[in-house]
Amino acid sequence: GENVEQHPSTLSVQEGDSAVIKCTYSDSASNYFPWYKQELGKRPQLIIDIRSNVGEKKDQRIAVTLNKTAKHFSLHITETQPEDSAVYFCAASVTGANNLFFGTGTRLTVIP
Amino acid sequence: GAGVSQSPSNKVTEKGKDVELRCDPISGHTALYWYRQSLGQGLEFLIYFQGNSAPDKSGLPSDRFSAERTGGSVSTLTIQRTQQEDSAVYLCASSLGRATYEQYFGPGTRLTVT
């Protein structure tokens, strides 16, 4: 089955700096890669996703890049703000599959 | 509209007792997932329901865990003879389809086994 690894487990950045979280996956058939954000005490919410037919996707201050050859994908947050502080989970799946395989999460702290 | 709801929000139980956790998905969502989130850990897939199809139970950690989904809507996760290692937050999510659709999570049930 799919195995998703996520690094780092914790990340602290100064407000205004960029943050990068990286994930690798094992199943070359995976073609869907979402990122979920979970604020303290709240439920996970989808923030961005990418499918394997594109290499990069942007939505305002967040972007995700995908390298299919190397089987890794990354989340980039620019101009970080305190409200970006949360745990971020990457995940991978393949069309037709029943479930997502989640990484172990990255706790991002943005220091004002 | 209403999101995914779960009850109870917190449950404290003694080791060996059975517990039932409830999930109300978003109306019209055919897919329903249960996950377990242990302290500081990721989301561990437990079980998946899709419409009237047989559920995917491949993530259930032991035969003490079971789940039902009645009428294609409400789901109940049952843990029998609870153990301390069952302590975790149990999250339910629903979506319009399989894994490549956005999943909408409920607030979770925090289970503590003493």
Side-chain angles (χ1 to χ4, degrees):
Chain A
E2 175 66 278
N3 181 47
V4 178
E5 295 189 354
Q6 184 172 348
H7 301 280
S9 57
T10 60
L11 178 61
S12 292
V13 299
Q14 292 288 332
E15 182 177 357
D17 288 351
S18 295
V20 181
I21 302 170
K22 300 181 179 181
C23 290
T24 61
Y25 61 99
S26 61
D27 187 351
S28 57
S30 289
N31 60 1
Y32 175 65
F33 307 93
W35 287 86
Y36 282 79
K37 175 184 180 182
Q38 186 176 28
E39 296 179 36
L40 187 63
K42 297 192 176 180
R43 67 193 77 187
Q45 290 188 305
L46 179 72
I47 56 170
I48 194 168
D49 58 13
I50 190 168
R51 299 180 189 269
S52 61
N53 57 339
V54 296
E56 183 176 8
K57 185 176 179 180
K58 290 184 179 180
D59 183 3
Q60 300 182 337
R61 296 186 298 108
I62 60 174
V64 57
T65 58
L66 171 65
N67 184 326
K68 289 175 59 180
T69 302
K71 291 189 286 187
H72 67 69
F73 56 111
S74 300
L75 178 71
H76 304 253
I77 307 174
T78 58
E79 301 172 22
T80 53
Q81 301 170 3
E83 53 264 37
D84 295 328
S85 296
V87 177
Y88 292 81
F89 293 97
C90 64
S93 188
V94 62
T95 303
N98 289 343
N99 59 296
L100 285 171
F101 293 89
F102 282 90
T104 50
T106 296
R107 182 174 299 279
L108 173 65
T109 302
V110 179
I111 304 166
Chain B
V4 178
S5 61
Q6 292 185 244
S7 60
S9 56
N10 283 282
K11 177 71 176 179
V12 180
T13 189
E14 292 181 352
K15 177 182 173 181
K17 296 286 181 67
D18 298 351
V19 295
E20 284 190 354
L21 312 179
R22 177 187 169 104
C23 172
D24 282 87
I26 293 173
S27 178
H29 280 192
T30 58
L32 186 148
Y33 300 81
W34 283 98
Y35 295 93
R36 180 168 67 177
Q37 186 173 30
S38 301
L39 187 62
Q41 299 297 308
L43 297 166
E44 177 189 4
F45 165 75
L46 297 178
I47 189 169
Y48 162 78
F49 295 90
Q50 172 63 43
N52 295 321
S53 301
D56 178 349
K57 304 179 182 179
S58 60
L60 295 178
S62 78
D63 58 8
R64 295 187 296 105
F65 289 72
S66 63
E68 290 185 344
R69 188 178 186 192
T70 55
S73 181
V74 172
S75 178
T76 301
L77 177 69
T78 301
I79 308 174
Q80 295 179 312
R81 305 181 302 282
T82 51
Q83 303 295 313
Q84 288 187 331
E85 60 262 29
D86 299 334
S87 296
V89 175
Y90 289 82
L91 289 163
C92 172
S94 71
S95 75
L96 288 170
R98 291 180 180 236
T100 53
Y101 287 79
E102 178 176 359
Q103 295 187 19
Y104 296 81
F105 284 83
T109 294
R110 182 175 298 279
L111 175 65
T112 303
V113 182
T114 61

